[in-house]
Structure formats: C-alpha cells, structure tokens
Amino acid sequence: MKISKKVLALMLACLLVFGALVGCADNGGASSAAGTPPAGSVAAGGDVDDSLVNTELSGEITQWVWGDYEIRGAVDFNKYYPNIKVNYVSVPSDEYEQKILTALATGTDLPDVVNIESAARGQFNNMDVWERLDAAPYNLDTSKVLPIGIPLMSNEKGEIVCVQVDNCVAGYAYDRELAIKYFGTDDPAEMEKIFSDLDSFVEKSKAVGEAGEDYMFASVDDAYSAVSGLYQKDPVVVDGKLNTDKSVLPTYEFIEKLVANKAVGPYVEWTPAWYTSFASNNIIFYRAPAWFISFMMKPNDPDSVGKWGMMTPPGGGFNAGGTAYAIPKGAKEENKELAWAYIQWLTLSQEGAESFYNAHATSTLYAPAYDTDLYKGEPDPFFKEQNVTEKLNEIAADPRTTASIMTAYDFVMKNANAQALRDLEAGMSAQQAYAKFKTEVLAAATDLSE
Amino acid sequence: MKIKARRKIHWQTVVLMVVMVVASLVAIAPFWFMLNMGTYKANELYTGIKLIPSNYLAQNFKSLMTINFSRYYVNSLLVSTLCAGLTVLVCSMCGYALSKYKFKGRKAMGNVVMLTMMVPTQLSLVGFVIEMNKIGWLNSLLPLIIPPAASAFGVFWIRQYTRDCIPDSVIESARLDGCGEFRIFVQIGLPFMGPACMTLALLSFLWSWNSFVTPMIVLTNEKLYTVPLGIRQLATQFRTDIGAQILGLSLATIPMLLLFALFSKNLISGLASAAVKE
C-alpha cells in the first residue's frame, strides 16, 4: 500500500512536469521574444527610406528590461539598423536597481543599455557611472528634446546622462458617469472650470464622502500621486537642508482633508485589489499619463466604452513616471556606439517615435515629431471619443506643466513617504505624518539637516 | 454506566473531529484557493470567493508559457536536484570527518563552520559575485549548484547526527577487519546517516528551489532563469493577469508538495533522531 501511494505520487509528479514540458514545446517560438524582436512585427509596417538605413554599424548589444516596453516599442529598429542585434534580458522590475548596483559594486558585466526608472533616476543619475551624452562622442542635441524632458535626463551638474523615452505628462482621467452624478457635468472644459484649484477637490469631496458609495481617489497613494507633482516646484534639498515644507506638507494636508471627508478608497496602489478598482465604477479620478492608460486603465477595464474623460489638472500637468536609457561607462567600448545608435533611434528620431507610438500609444520626447501629424491622435471610444493623445500633448505644452525634480535622496524620501501615507490613511494628522516623514528622512540621509 | 461512558467518549471525539476538520480546512483552504484562482480570468477573481474551478485554465497556462516558464521549471529542477545531491555528498563527508576523526584544529574548524552560519547571505553577496566572476562562473548555473553544496548547516547537521548515532566501536571493528576509511564511510557511515542525509537533501532542495537573490544576481541570461525569477517576471510581464500569476505560483509549489508528501516521514524521523541524544 505504501509503495502504491509513492508510485502514484511519482506518476502525478511526472505527469505535471510532463505537462509543463509539453507546454514548453508548444510555445518555443514565443519564448524567443526576449532575444530578438518578434519576427512578424519586424516584417510588418510600411516602406523604409533607404537613406535612413545604416548597414555599417554591426554587432550585438544587450539591454536589461522589465516587461516588453522596448521589445514592442523598438520593433522597427532592425529595419533601420539591420546589423545590430539587441538582446533583451528580462529582469524583475523590483530587483532591477539591486542587480545594477551589485554589478557596479563587483565590477561584473553590465548591459550596454541600462533602463533607469523614474523612482531611481535621482539616485542613479548622480552616480558617476554613466556616459555623458551631451558631450563627444555622443553630442546629444538638446533642441531635439521637449524642454520638460531635460531635467529628467540630467544629473545635479546639469550633464545629460540618460535619455527618457516616454512623454509622461499626466492629466486627470475621470469617470464620466460619476462626474455627472456629483458635479453635474462630464465635459472636460466644464470639469476644468469646476476643479480650478485643489481646494475645489476638497470641497467637492464632501458630497462624495457623504454619499458613502464612491471615492474621489482609489487610495491615499493615488491622491498623493495626483497632487504631489503640482506642489513640487522647488528643489527638495537646498544647501544640504531638507526643503519639503512647501511640497510634501501641503500634499499631506490635502490628503488629510480627503481622508476626513471619507473620499479616499481602500485600494492600496499596485496591489491586485487596486487593479480591480478601474472596473469597480466607484472611483472618480486617477492621475493618468499615456503609459497609465495603456498599461493600467484599458487592460483592467476592458469592457468599458465611453466611461472615461480626460482633463487638465489644476495648475497644469506634471511628469509621472517614465523610463530612461543610459550607457554605463563600464560597458564594452566596442558596443557603446551601437548602444547610442539604438538609444538615439528610439528616443530621438522620427522613425523611433513612430515605432514607439504605434506600439504603446505613447509619445516620445523627440520634439520635432510634435510638428508632424504623428501625434494628432484620434477619437478614443474608451474616453467617449475624446482625443486623449491631443489632450495630453496640450497639457505637455501648457507652460505651467513641470517635470519632477529628481534628487539623490529620492529613495530615502520614497520609503519615508510610503509609511507616512499609511499613517495618513489611518487618520494621522498631516502635521504629525510630516514630522514623522522628516524624522525618517533625516535619520536615513545623515548628510541632510532640517 | 457503559452508556454514559460511550456518550462521553462520543462527545469528546466529535469535538476533536470538528476541531481537526476545521483546522484542516483552515490549512488546506489557501492551497485550494490558490489552485482554484489559477483557473479564472483575472477580472473575475475579485467578484467574490471562488469555490469551484473555472474554465480559463488553458488560457492562463498559455499566458504563462509565453515567458518560458517551462524552461525555468526545468532549470530549477536541475539546479535543486544536483544541489541536493552534492550537498549530501559534501556535507556527509565533511560532517563525518569532523565527527569521527581526531586531528589538530578539528574544534577550530567546527567553530569556523558554525561562524559562517551566522553571516547572512546578503552580506557576503558582493564578495561571492566577485569570486564567481574571477572563476568565470557568472551567468551559468554553477554558482547555484556548487557553492551551496558546502553548506555550513549541512556540515553541522551531519556532524551532530554522526557523533551521536554512529558508535565508534563499529568503526573500530571495521578498521580491525582491514576495511579502508573510504569503504567504512560508504558502507558503514552512510547507512547510519541515512535519515539525516534524507532530511538534508529535502531541506537543500527546498532552499535551492526557493532561492531568489543569488540567481537574480548571478544570472543575466533568461534561458538560465529559475522558477523564483520566473515568478517575479510574471509579476512584471503580467501585472494585470493575476490568474496567470497564480497559476505560476501553483505550478511552482507542486515539486515541494510532492516531495513532502512522499518523504515527510523521513524528514520527521531525521529531525527527531538528530534532536534526541541517547
């Protein structure tokens, strides 16, 4: 009897493993996507201007990526550089920075192209490990980059050390049905008049909270994401002193009022429950750059038609998220030229802008593309036929719109802020949460003072 | 009297059974929900508690296979199996030597082994990566198989077990009969160490299977990724596809569940016999 149980269990194990292996055999083709762009996609697309094709540069470069942002976004690259092969190695996004830092610390091989996510940008840009791209031999032409992108690519000395690929200026996406229910209109222009400042959000949140059915924002994290960029006008560190009284504190005060009005939902950002909030029909606002619409809203609310609207945040837009590419000084010398050709094509060319926009409905920061018809956009049924591309570009062009200010202390502040938001959610006052935030930042960044 | 006694026993049994059933349900429920959720479409997962499987398993499986999950599975099986086997071989020899041979520095060596157990893996990670780089093993599966085989815990474990469970008189008798040291180890030592070796193999397999930080740092070729890396990749690639993620987690737990179902008695007996000194 004992033997038969063991045999049964072994058979079951073999069956399960065999099942997995059979699955492998069936999908072998798909799994090669990490190494090379999907063959079908490369072949797809229009004709290529032969004068733009470069066959002289040849070789193989490696880029560590998370997800398929580049694999799909740069799908046309090999039409223009047929002899450069880009090996995409997928690295879990949460551990990406640790992997890079370990490679830097141990002197082991780095990829030829490193992705620097916005949360890590402040720290990474200020490490003296990246090639300076606005100097020889790269000579990045800053006039080809939207002005809002320059601070996102620079270190504290003003040197450009990476190139952000995506235009991440955010607007406010809102649920039209709920907007009519609580504010009497779903027209973007009318909404912008009603919500001309953040006080109006607090005022209107009272009715939402009293109804007890819906929320202004899905969570305190979302409320923070929606307004922190609006307050961040000054550097967070000035002469070695923490300078957040005019940015973090008012953000916390805004959240405190919303929490008191019971207008903030329970969906903690980036959790599975939060993903469901898009289709839950009880959240009015999300801050929404283009990537957020493609990767968050549409996949998590696939059945909605005409549900959403897009408006300019009070006081203009702000940068939210984004991925930039850098070339490590420690990368193989022979690959640096190839890596720059790749980065330049994707981020600073009309062809790259088209390829990226076609894949992700997201604009790059390549300025001349905005003078073409590429980003004229089209009515989007998801947004009740509103032209969202046009709207986001209108926000990007708004002179009040600002880029995030990135510092070497971003990680420290991010951790302290995460705890403060949970405290605010639990009912702590803004003053108390802010005091706690400052204490934690100063404890972790010992070279800063109050 | 008899009837009363019966009733009393019956009542106790019922209570005990109810408690046991509830405890079992509490323990099993998360596994059941995990297996179950892997059969649902992501959007359906949060519309209520799902007690019965749905019909979306094939689609979730298809999504899962787009990230080469089966290759990661094979890599993990290879690494964990080899690591477990090598760990038993190396640690049994080392533990046996430290336990049964008297030589100068034996105590100091034992203490060094103990000391290395106190250092968290993360602290020695940079040094480990530099070492692997110098040897030329980076970006291969070797750093996941060879270095963990010299497990400080394994050596300590076998040393403790061997010291108490293999009588010195048996080894002396073998020597008197002309048996060589290696043969004594293989034919006398190892059979005595069986339960401890089995326990060590299981623990080693488990640690290797679940290892995340080391593979994440030393591997830069996706074809070599192991299951924990693959699962984290799922969270990146399919952050909206919770169903596929949960199916991946379910598949990842299968080897461990099977191993413990098959060898739980050996594990418990190994742990118990090493814990009791007679």
Side-chain angles (χ1 to χ4, degrees):
Chain A
M1 190 63 189
K2 273 182 186 174
I3 293 168
S4 64
K5 269 186 186 173
K6 286 189 176 184
V7 169
L8 192 68
L10 275 171
M11 282 171 64
L12 186 60
C14 293
L15 191 69
L16 289 164
V17 174
F18 179 72
L21 294 175
V22 170
C24 170
D26 287 347
N27 292 279
S31 66
S32 65
T36 52
S41 305
V42 172
D47 294 331
V48 174
D49 181 350
D50 286 344
S51 66
L52 298 172
V53 176
N54 184 323
T55 52
E56 288 171 14
L57 290 175
S58 67
E60 202 169 313
I61 57 172
T62 301
Q63 181 179 17
W64 290 354
V65 298
W66 56 81
D68 57 1
Y69 208 37
E70 291 76 20
I71 297 169
R72 289 171 53 209
V75 74
D76 290 340
F77 175 66
N78 283 127
K79 288 181 183 175
Y80 296 89
Y81 290 89
N83 298 328
I84 299 178
K85 184 185 177 191
V86 185
N87 290 314
Y88 295 105
V89 176
S90 186
V91 174
S93 57
D94 292 346
E95 279 73 33
Y96 194 96
E97 280 88 30
Q98 189 190 344
K99 196 169 166 77
I100 293 288
L101 291 172
T102 307
L104 287 167
T106 56
T108 50
D109 284 349
L110 281 160
D112 303 299
V113 180
V114 169
N115 288 19
I116 308 180
E117 205 269 328
S118 63
R121 198 84 54 80
Q123 184 189 9
F124 273 50
N125 278 11
N126 289 295
M127 296 165 71
D128 186 25
V129 295
W130 314 114
E131 291 285 324
R132 184 178 172 181
L133 301 176
D134 55 343
Y138 306 100
N139 299 317
L140 182 146
D141 181 357
T142 51
S143 69
K144 288 187 175 176
V145 182
L146 281 191
I148 195 173
I150 301 296
L152 308 173
M153 306 173 183
S154 309
N155 60 19
E156 285 172 355
K157 294 179 204 163
E159 300 165 346
I160 293 188
V161 292
C162 59
V163 191
Q164 178 162 316
V165 63
D166 37 7
N167 181 342
C168 294
V169 167
Y172 282 176
Y174 60 90
D175 185 313
R176 286 178 181 270
E177 198 174 310
L178 294 178
I180 291 172
K181 180 178 173 183
Y182 291 105
F183 318 129
T185 181
D186 71 339
D187 179 64
E190 290 295 318
M191 287 288 284
E192 284 163 14
K193 279 183 196 165
I194 293 171
F195 294 101
S196 58
D197 56 33
L198 289 175
D199 289 340
S200 52
F201 276 83
V202 175
E203 190 56 36
K204 293 290 180 188
S205 73
K206 287 175 188 168
V208 176
E210 279 166 12
E213 296 171 348
D214 308 302
Y215 303 104
M216 292 289 274
F217 295 100
S219 66
V220 290
D221 314 77
D222 288 87
Y224 179 84
S225 303
V227 299
S228 60
L230 298 172
Y231 282 116
Q232 202 185 59
K233 307 289 183 193
D234 302 317
V236 293
V237 174
V238 176
D239 297 330
K241 290 182 180 175
L242 199 57
N243 182 43
T244 48
D245 289 357
K246 290 179 184 172
S247 53
V248 177
L249 179 58
T251 307
Y252 287 179
E253 285 169 345
F254 174 79
I255 294 169
E256 180 189 13
K257 289 170 192 165
L258 287 186
V259 170
N261 290 344
K262 297 186 172 63
V264 178
Y267 308 99
V268 177
E269 208 172 20
W270 311 119
T271 61
W274 180 77
Y275 292 123
T276 67
S277 72
F278 296 95
S280 63
N281 300 320
N282 64 347
I283 308 297
I284 304 175
F285 292 104
Y286 289 94
R287 74 94 173 84
W291 63 265
F292 192 84
I293 298 166
S294 302
F295 287 97
M296 297 295 135
M297 295 183 73
K298 288 184 176 177
N300 286 299
D301 192 12
D303 301 325
S304 285
V305 179
K307 176 178 166 182
W308 297 96
M310 178 68 77
M311 60 179 273
T312 305
F318 53 90
N319 182 74
T323 303
Y325 306 133
I327 302 173
K329 284 181 178 173
K332 291 169 189 158
E333 285 300 327
E334 65 270 26
N335 285 356
K336 286 180 181 174
E337 189 182 5
L338 307 181
W340 178 236
Y342 167 75
I343 292 173
Q344 210 173 13
W345 180 86
L346 183 55
T347 62
L348 298 170
S349 79
Q350 183 68 22
E351 298 73 39
E354 285 172 13
S355 177
F356 197 77
Y357 183 72
N358 290 337
H360 300 303
T362 300
S363 317
T364 67
L365 291 168
Y366 178 63
Y370 291 82
D371 298 327
T372 68
D373 287 340
L374 177 61
Y375 299 140
K376 66 180 180 185
E378 53 190 29
D380 187 339
F382 192 70
F383 282 88
K384 202 178 177 182
E385 305 302 327
Q386 189 180 1
N387 187 334
V388 173
T389 302
E390 192 179 66
K391 183 68 186 173
L392 287 174
N393 287 336
E394 176 194 310
I395 297 170
D398 189 320
R400 300 171 301 168
T401 295
T402 53
S404 317
I405 296 168
M406 294 172 169
T407 76
Y409 302 97
D410 283 357
F411 267 138
V412 171
M413 293 198 193
K414 188 183 167 190
N415 291 336
N417 182 57
Q419 183 53 50
L421 290 180
R422 298 279 75 78
D423 291 336
L424 285 166
E425 187 179 37
M428 187 183 272
S429 74
Q431 287 288 349
Q432 285 174 312
Y434 181 58
K436 209 172 161 186
F437 165 83
K438 280 205 296 187
T439 305
E440 286 197 24
V441 170
L442 295 172
T446 49
D447 55 331
L448 289 184
S449 60
E450 199 168 349
Chain B
M1 237 357 234
K2 253 186 176 177
I3 294 166
K4 267 188 179 178
R6 268 186 202 162
R7 275 181 183 166
K8 199 177 177 183
I9 291 163
H10 182 67
W11 177 80
Q12 284 176 327
T13 310
V14 168
V15 170
L16 189 65
M17 286 300 287
V18 169
V19 171
M20 296 291 275
V21 167
V22 170
S24 301
L25 285 176
V26 168
I28 293 168
F31 287 102
W32 173 247
F33 286 128
M34 180 179 73
L35 294 170
N36 216 2
M37 288 165 81
T39 66
Y40 277 84
K41 196 176 179 181
N43 292 338
E44 295 170 351
L45 280 173
Y46 296 95
T47 55
I49 295 172
K50 309 296 178 194
L51 294 173
I52 53 167
S54 180
N55 58 357
Y56 208 67
L57 176 67
Q59 192 57 40
N60 282 340
F61 195 77
K62 201 176 165 186
S63 300
L64 200 57
M65 287 308 148
T66 59
I67 63 150
N68 235 347
F69 194 76
S70 49
R71 181 184 276 273
Y72 307 151
Y73 216 88
V74 172
N75 288 341
S76 269
L77 280 174
L78 183 75
V79 167
S80 301
T81 308
L82 288 174
C83 185
L86 270 176
T87 302
V88 168
L89 180 69
V90 172
C91 295
S92 61
M93 291 173 91
C94 190
Y96 176 84
L98 284 174
S99 166
K100 293 298 170 191
Y101 293 132
K102 292 182 175 57
F103 55 91
K104 209 173 178 180
R106 181 175 77 149
K107 199 176 173 187
M109 282 181 74
N111 288 339
V112 168
V113 169
M114 288 283 286
L115 270 175
T116 59
M117 286 170 62
M118 312 297 171
V119 182
T121 314
Q122 288 81 357
L123 286 182
S124 55
L125 192 63
V126 170
F128 176 75
V129 174
I130 291 171
E131 185 184 5
M132 292 301 109
N133 189 34
K134 295 283 180 200
I135 298 173
W137 284 2
L138 273 191
N139 210 14
S140 78
L141 293 176
L142 291 174
L144 311 181
I145 299 169
I146 310 290
S151 159
F153 170 80
V155 173
F156 171 73
W157 174 255
I158 297 288
R159 188 185 73 164
Q160 294 300 101
Y161 187 91
T162 310
R163 193 168 61 189
D164 301 329
C165 294
I166 305 179
D168 289 341
S169 53
V170 176
I171 296 172
E172 284 302 321
S173 303
R175 282 186 188 131
L176 287 173
D177 288 341
C179 189
E181 292 301 324
F182 187 70
R183 196 171 164 199
I184 292 173
F185 169 73
V186 173
Q187 294 195 333
I188 295 173
L190 278 181
F192 269 107
M193 287 187 263
C197 287
M198 181 59 78
T199 305
L200 181 60
L202 285 173
L203 291 173
S204 174
F205 189 95
L206 173 70
W207 293 331
S208 181
W209 186 267
N210 290 332
S211 176
F212 175 74
V213 175
T214 309
M216 197 268 292
I217 296 297
V218 302
L219 299 178
T220 52
N221 181 349
E222 272 187 74
K223 289 177 181 173
L224 299 174
Y225 278 10
T226 53
V227 165
L229 281 176
I231 288 175
R232 291 309 288 266
Q233 209 172 317
L234 276 176
T236 304
Q237 194 101 336
F238 300 111
R239 57 184 143 197
T240 57
D241 197 346
I242 307 294
Q245 284 188 44
I246 294 176
L247 180 63
L249 286 169
S250 304
L251 288 172
T253 57
I254 286 170
M256 299 318 306
L257 288 175
L258 285 174
L259 274 178
F260 279 94
L262 282 169
F263 301 112
S264 59
K265 277 186 184 172
N266 304 63
L267 178 71
I268 291 162
S269 69
L271 289 170
S273 54
V276 178
K277 188 178 178 181
E278 289 178 9

